Amino acid sequence: MSEFVDFLKRDTSASFTDDRVAHFGNPEREIETALANVSKCPLLSLGVVSFTGTDARSFMNGQFTTDCTGIMPRHSQFSAWCDPKGRVLYIFTLYIDGDRLYAILPKAQIDSFMRRLNLYILRADVELGNLSDALIVIGLSGTSSPDTTGLDEPWDTAQRPGATRIIRQGAGPPRFMIVGPDGSARERWAALEIPAVGEIAWKTLEIFGGVPRLDERTSGRFLPQQLNLDALNALSFSKGCYPGQEIIARLKYRGAVKKRLLIATVASPTEPVSGTPIQINGSGRTVGHVLNAQRLDAGRSALSAVVEVDATVADLHIEKSKGPALRRIDLPYAVD
């Protein structure tokens, strides 16, 4: 067990679910705190994969949706990896520290991510490493902490004491990820003298930020534009080839994006699961599916969903046309 996890279990009120800190005693209040004020969150569900070798950057550039030549010490990237049909398999944050490149993504996806990538390395000088036990990710919301000084734009990145990196996340409520060694994570945590929240609150921030996340039910199901990755600067149309590029480019230059990600709340006693159908009231026709959802309180959940563009102004309901109605929320970024 990591030193930081041992500390959280021994010396805090952290409530664990599936090896992550779900909350610190009151998830509903923590959601309110995270949305309104500065807060910190142990992101134990996230792990880190390293890319080393002389061909690491060019290999990544030939696989991922962003121009990886643009990853710099002061600028990270939101990126994705697609299958040959252009469907998104994984979504992650890329950053550099010294001569190593890194990807931050859910620990549950790392084994399959590395296994699939290794099939494409062939003779390239690239080595992948799972550093999830060595590096800890801490989330920080709000901008009142001195650690966030100078990080004004999405994916701005800075070095901080103790071999740590702090990376500003994308649109929506200000969010940052602090990545550093497990051995000094407790010290970093204690230095942040702000309220602690669990991953329930952090997931809510991401949903309201219009950030897509994939699981086993949604991986390989959507094109990048359907997840708004183009609007989140996680998609390059000017670099060389990568898996699915022709299909993705054709959607931009020859066609129209017929589905887009939206965010909403829904009055429901249970949290919708990913993949739950969305229908137009009274029609019985499925026009989309839930991507992510998080229960806000006893009778309400926040969710993101991929829905047909022509149906986004309709009266939408989950599960069936007479099910709970969606109350749409404006995205915090522009979508073409």
Side-chain angles (χ1 to χ4, degrees):
M1 181 185 299
S2 82
E3 294 180 25
F4 184 58
V5 172
D6 183 59
F7 154 71
L8 290 172
K9 289 185 174 181
R10 185 185 65 246
D11 296 339
T12 76
S13 59
S15 177
F16 279 75
T17 301
D18 297 329
D19 296 325
R20 70 183 181 115
V21 176
H23 58 83
F24 284 87
N26 192 326
E28 293 180 15
R29 184 178 299 170
E30 290 170 27
I31 289 173
E32 294 175 359
T33 297
L35 289 171
N37 302 293
V38 66
S39 62
K40 59 184 178 181
C41 177
L43 296 175
L44 302 184
S45 67
L46 296 181
V48 182
V49 174
S50 65
F51 296 77
T52 56
T54 57
D55 298 327
R57 191 185 289 264
S58 60
F59 171 76
M60 295 165 69
N61 205 43
Q63 295 295 326
F64 302 154
T65 57
T66 47
D67 184 353
C68 296
T69 63
I71 305 170
M72 300 296 178
R74 294 189 58 82
H75 184 75
S76 300
Q77 289 182 350
F78 196 45
S79 192
W81 190 31
C82 302
D83 66 17
K85 295 181 179 180
R87 307 286 173 168
V88 181
L89 298 171
Y90 306 93
I91 298 172
F92 37 81
T93 296
L94 299 174
Y95 74 99
I96 189 170
D97 191 356
D99 59 354
R100 282 190 176 190
L101 291 148
Y102 300 87
I104 303 171
L105 70 160
K107 287 179 180 176
Q109 300 174 4
I110 284 180
D111 284 347
S112 63
F113 178 71
M114 293 178 63
R115 184 173 62 252
R116 287 188 177 202
L117 276 176
N118 273 314
L119 295 175
Y120 293 89
I121 290 177
L122 302 177
R123 296 182 180 180
D125 179 20
V126 182
E127 185 173 351
L128 308 182
N130 185 351
L131 301 186
S132 300
D133 291 334
L135 296 174
I136 295 291
V137 184
I138 295 173
L140 175 63
S141 67
T143 56
S144 61
S145 169
D147 289 289
T148 66
T149 301
L151 303 178
D152 302 319
E153 300 295 330
W155 314 114
D156 279 355
T157 305
Q159 182 80 42
R160 293 292 187 254
T164 63
R165 286 270 166 188
I166 180 166
I167 305 166
R168 181 160 185 151
Q169 301 300 285
R175 304 177 314 285
F176 305 82
M177 288 196 297
I178 305 172
V179 190
D182 174 58
S184 58
R186 178 176 178 175
E187 181 181 346
R188 293 194 302 278
W189 179 262
L192 296 168
E193 297 180 346
I194 53 179
V197 303
E199 292 203 38
I200 287 175
W202 187 265
K203 184 178 178 181
T204 303
L205 289 176
E206 290 205 320
I207 289 174
F208 284 138
V211 178
R213 295 297 180 190
L214 301 176
D215 61 20
E216 67 279 0
R217 288 183 288 266
T218 53
S219 175
R221 191 166 180 172
F222 303 108
L223 295 167
Q225 294 97 320
Q226 295 172 344
L227 298 173
N228 294 356
L229 292 184
D230 51 340
L232 291 166
N233 295 320
L235 190 56
S236 172
F237 294 101
S238 59
K239 69 166 195 165
C241 295
Y242 57 89
Q245 183 200 32
E246 289 187 7
I247 295 170
I248 295 165
R250 190 180 305 129
L251 189 63
K252 174 178 174 63
Y253 295 113
R254 297 185 182 179
V257 181
K258 296 182 179 180
K259 293 182 180 180
R260 281 290 189 180
L261 182 142
L262 60 76
I263 54 178
T265 59
V266 61
S268 173
T270 58
E271 177 185 302
V273 299
S274 60
T276 298
I278 293 176
Q279 296 188 349
I280 297 175
N281 184 25
S283 74
R285 184 170 73 90
T286 297
V287 294
H289 295 86
V290 172
L291 188 71
N292 304 118
Q294 179 57 60
R295 184 173 178 266
L296 299 175
D297 51 44
R300 195 167 54 109
S301 293
L303 63 82
S304 60
V306 178
V307 176
E308 293 176 11
V309 172
D310 292 342
T312 55
V313 296
D315 183 12
L316 300 176
H317 295 246
I318 61 169
E319 297 188 80
K320 52 189 177 181
S321 60
K322 294 297 183 181
L326 269 61
R327 182 179 180 183
R328 285 182 294 280
I329 300 171
D330 290 338
L331 287 163
Y333 50 80
V335 176
D336 293 336

